[in-house]
Amino acid sequence: MDVRGWGWRHASRRAWAVERIDLAIEPGERVLLLGASGAGKSTLLHGIAGLLGGGEEGESRGEILVDGRPSDTMRARIGLVLQDPENQAVLARVGDDVAFGLENLAVDPSEIRTAVPAALDRVGLGGIPLDHSTSALSGGQKQRLALAGVLAMQPGLLLLDEPTANLDPDGVVQLRDAVLGSLDGRTLVVIEHRVSTWWHAVDRIVVLGSDGVLADGRPDTVLGAERERLAAAGVWLPPLDLTAPPPPVTMPAPPRVEADPLMTARSLSVGRRRKPFAATGLGFTLSAGSAMAITGPNGAGKSTTALTIAGLLPPAAGELVAGKSLRRGAGPSPHAWRSRQLLDRIGTVFQSPEHQFLAPSVRQELELGPRALGADTTAAARIAEGFAERLGLTHLLRAHPFSLSGGEKRRLSVATVLTASPSLIVLDEPTFGQDARTWGELVRLLREQLTAGRSIVAVTHDREVVDALCDVELRLTTPSSHAGGER
């Protein structure tokens, strides 16, 4: 694969998303592609996959060749797992979705019948029926499904865009091993902000910066020669001792605010349909100034629990009662509140950022909450610009939210909720797609919410978020056995 002076500018942008990229990757190489959030990593992967082109989409420079031919003519040789697995499921049933790529390659039906369950088993979905609905899968399960569909096709070039972002720790290892076990001489390019998962599994590190390739070489060589420069650019780096855990993030604890509980759950069961429940027997109390993490394996019901706490799903059984200080004259059940009542009481950041974007520009998106609460034009603009500056979005205020990178979308989705200053903030995977600098700024911003007396519920697989932010952890295990408590 050869990338020669390549660049891409989205049709809605003045600045180039990525430019001046010169890169040659030999057959069979395993490459980890790094860079700060917004550096153009996903754009480069889409270019390699031959998915960018046409005057309506944007403008390109240079060329990308795969096996000596333009990449858009070699799509059958390339497998791409997208950053957002929601965008990759194309059919309604799990088995059909995995078979979709094989059918497009005209693989014999008898081979497809063998390949589909084998691919699902390889990524840890072997226990799910082939006719199971893809829409009923959790975010992490959808991520595994996307990989299964690509691995089944056995592409010569495998491109992975943050494939472990929404996976539990065991799932991260299983997915990585599934990828490595399927390569058999194939070429791999993988984007991952947390590099420790892939560090020992790749031959080469390529780091993108604003002016092209910032660093390129063997992992230990790049780390030794460029560590300070890469850290300054926001690249997540492993500790010098790659067998040691990362250093803890130390931040002052928020002050305790003694008040009536914001919300109390007793024998709570949650689910998107009546039975089977996604999680049962949950009990917890949320207090002002405290943060609770919801953790556990993929498919344990974490997102469903968060949506129930947020008032967006009704409790399947048991009690979920808002305290007087949270409901402020509304009824005790958040699910019965109107959207206007939820706005400054409970704010929700969905697992997929695109599910909450409503406006045609970043600025308008950030001004929605303040305007709905009665802020005038000047005040709404001041709030929007303040959050944009904090989270590195100022240069994108005129851009459409859907044109942002995955990490930028996540920061915008968090900011849009915080602009309304809700008393309870519910976040689903709030730090995915972030480089070291933007991760730190997000955590600092959430810490400030706690200091101000607000409460946070965070669904996360990011252990560092739990350690830096949360004082209570609700651990979900299986639908029949759930427990939570103080850490």
Side-chain angles (χ1 to χ4, degrees):
M1 182 186 73
D2 290 295
V3 183
R4 302 172 179 173
W6 189 78
W8 176 262
R9 183 181 64 82
H10 295 284
S12 61
R13 303 279 192 89
R14 293 181 179 179
W16 289 75
V18 61
E19 58 181 332
R20 296 187 291 276
I21 300 295
D22 290 291
L23 185 64
I25 297 177
E26 297 299 322
E29 273 197 298
R30 303 175 179 184
V31 178
L32 177 60
L33 184 61
L34 303 178
S37 177
K41 303 182 297 298
S42 296
T43 302
L44 176 58
L45 234 60
H46 290 177
I48 295 172
L51 300 181
L52 297 177
E56 293 184 359
E57 294 185 34
E59 176 185 357
S60 65
R61 294 173 179 166
E63 61 180 353
I64 300 179
L65 304 177
V66 175
D67 292 341
R69 299 178 60 185
S71 60
D72 60 356
T73 68
M74 299 296 291
R75 292 170 185 154
R77 291 266 299 146
I78 303 169
L80 170 66
V81 175
L82 299 171
Q83 188 176 42
D84 184 359
E86 294 276 355
N87 295 334
Q88 197 146 341
V90 293
L91 294 175
R93 299 187 299 183
V94 166
D96 293 343
D97 196 77
V98 177
F100 181 74
L102 296 171
E103 291 171 341
N104 277 275
L105 294 175
V107 174
D108 186 271
S110 63
E111 294 182 32
I112 293 177
R113 283 192 291 270
T114 301
V116 167
L120 287 169
D121 189 59
R122 179 173 288 174
V123 301
L125 294 180
I128 293 181
L130 296 182
D131 62 355
H132 189 78
S133 171
T134 55
S135 64
L137 299 177
S138 71
Q141 289 171 327
K142 288 177 181 176
Q143 211 157 18
R144 294 169 187 250
L145 178 67
L147 179 63
V150 170
L151 293 183
M153 294 187 292
Q154 301 183 2
L157 173 58
L158 182 59
L159 308 175
L160 307 179
D161 196 347
E162 298 210 50
T164 68
N166 293 318
L167 297 184
D168 58 75
D170 290 340
V172 169
V173 175
Q174 184 178 38
L175 183 143
R176 180 201 61 196
D177 292 347
V179 169
L180 297 177
S182 70
L183 288 179
D184 191 26
R186 298 179 178 88
T187 306
L188 169 69
V189 181
V190 56
I191 295 173
E192 197 78 75
H193 276 291
R194 301 303 184 96
V195 301
S196 58
T197 300
W198 298 95
W199 194 264
H200 291 297
V202 298
D203 312 309
R204 181 176 170 193
I205 301 290
V206 175
V207 185
L208 295 190
S210 57
D211 296 319
V213 176
L214 185 65
D216 185 358
R218 294 191 60 81
D220 293 342
T221 302
V222 170
L223 182 63
E226 304 287 351
R227 187 179 184 90
E228 290 186 7
R229 190 155 66 114
L230 298 182
V235 176
W236 282 104
L237 296 173
L240 290 174
D241 179 3
L242 295 178
T243 64
V249 178
T250 56
M251 294 183 181
R256 278 299 184 187
V257 179
E258 296 298 331
D260 292 333
L262 286 182
M263 189 174 292
T264 302
R266 302 183 187 91
S267 300
L268 176 67
S269 295
V270 301
R272 296 173 191 259
R273 55 184 183 273
R274 205 61 192 166
K275 285 187 177 180
F277 298 141
T280 62
L282 305 181
F284 53 83
T285 297
L286 303 177
S287 302
S290 69
M292 181 177 77
I294 302 178
T295 63
N298 296 126
K302 300 184 298 298
S303 294
T304 304
T305 301
L307 291 173
T308 304
I309 294 171
L312 301 179
L313 289 175
E319 293 184 333
L320 184 67
V321 180
K324 293 179 180 178
S325 60
L326 179 61
R327 63 185 191 235
R328 300 198 296 275
S333 172
H335 186 256
W337 298 349
R338 300 187 302 274
S339 57
R340 176 60 180 79
Q341 291 174 305
L342 283 170
L343 183 61
D344 63 345
R345 290 174 172 84
I346 306 177
T348 306
V349 174
F350 297 110
Q351 188 174 49
S352 296
E354 293 89 345
H355 289 178
Q356 66 193 85
F357 294 151
L358 301 171
S361 75
V362 169
R363 175 183 290 279
Q364 290 170 285
E365 196 72 52
L366 290 170
E367 291 180 352
L368 277 177
R371 284 184 175 277
L373 292 173
D376 60 27
T377 301
T378 301
R382 183 174 64 251
I383 294 170
E385 291 164 5
F387 277 99
E389 183 176 359
R390 285 289 300 272
L391 295 175
L393 300 173
T394 300
H395 66 295
L396 298 168
L397 283 170
R398 297 176 59 186
H400 196 289
F402 285 93
S403 72
L404 306 186
S405 73
E408 290 164 345
K409 288 176 183 175
R410 171 47 80 211
R411 299 200 299 279
L412 176 61
S413 67
V414 173
T416 56
V417 167
L418 298 185
T419 58
S421 299
S423 300
L424 173 59
I425 304 161
V426 180
L427 309 131
D428 199 340
E429 299 290 358
T431 57
F432 85 77
Q434 302 310 307
D435 61 45
R437 289 186 302 180
T438 57
W439 183 95
E441 192 59 37
L442 270 175
V443 171
R444 280 189 288 272
L445 191 57
L446 293 173
R447 270 287 190 185
E448 292 170 11
Q449 306 306 307
L450 297 176
T451 302
R454 301 182 184 96
S455 183
I456 289 175
V457 173
V459 173
T460 184
H461 291 298
D462 188 340
R463 196 70 227 173
E464 291 177 82
V465 167
V466 179
D467 294 339
L469 195 65
C470 302
D471 47 6
V472 177
E473 183 174 351
L474 184 69
R475 300 183 187 93
L476 304 189
T477 52
T478 66
S480 60
S481 175
H482 296 276
E486 296 287 341
R487 284 184 19 249

